[in-house]
Amino acid sequence: MYRKVVSAVYLLNIIFQAFYTLALPIGIGALTAFLLTEYASAPRWIWALLLIIGVFIGLFSMIKFILTATKNLERLEKDQAERSAEERAKAKKQAELRGENKTNESEGEK
């Protein structure tokens, strides 16, 4: 249950960050276009140029982030699987040792 909740929160974090990496360059382009047209008397076509550049930069950074995040998620899942396998082997070994100790104790009583 705990791992499912953590995985869901991690996935929501990835989705939020992917949206953020897409939206931020577009917003910066829009703000820059607004400031240039209002205060520097730049032509109106600067809006289209800066928004298109912002979309391309946002898409590039979002794709790069998603690829990095999935690579790290795969590594994290692999590490968790190895850790759980090690824990199971350790628990099995401890159970075997406890079984041997009980056998030795029962032989000592006879």
Side-chain angles (χ1 to χ4, degrees):
M1 174 70 176
Y2 174 74
R3 288 185 181 174
K4 288 182 181 181
V5 172
V6 170
S7 295
V9 170
Y10 189 75
L11 184 63
L12 285 174
N13 182 31
I14 289 174
I15 291 169
F16 176 76
Q17 285 183 341
F19 174 75
Y20 183 76
T21 59
L22 174 65
L24 188 65
I26 297 170
I28 290 173
L31 177 64
T32 304
F34 171 77
L35 292 174
L36 286 173
T37 55
E38 291 296 317
Y39 297 109
S41 300
R44 292 266 185 220
W45 57 265
I46 200 79
W47 275 91
L49 177 68
L50 290 177
L51 287 177
I52 290 171
I53 290 171
V55 166
F56 283 127
I57 292 172
L59 284 173
F60 175 76
S61 64
M62 182 182 74
I63 291 170
K64 183 179 176 185
F65 170 75
I66 289 173
L67 291 175
T68 304
T70 54
K71 183 175 125 183
N72 290 338
L73 182 62
E74 289 171 359
R75 182 180 50 89
L76 180 65
E77 289 174 349
K78 181 181 173 186
D79 289 346
Q80 285 178 348
E82 288 175 0
R83 228 178 284 131
S84 64
E86 288 174 1
E87 289 173 1
R88 276 186 261 129
K90 189 177 181 180
K92 183 178 178 182
K93 189 174 182 180
Q94 287 177 350
E96 289 174 357
L97 290 175
R98 276 187 243 128
E100 289 176 7
N101 288 340
K102 288 181 182 177
T103 307
N104 291 339
E105 288 174 5
S106 62
E107 289 176 1
E109 292 175 1
K110 289 182 182 180

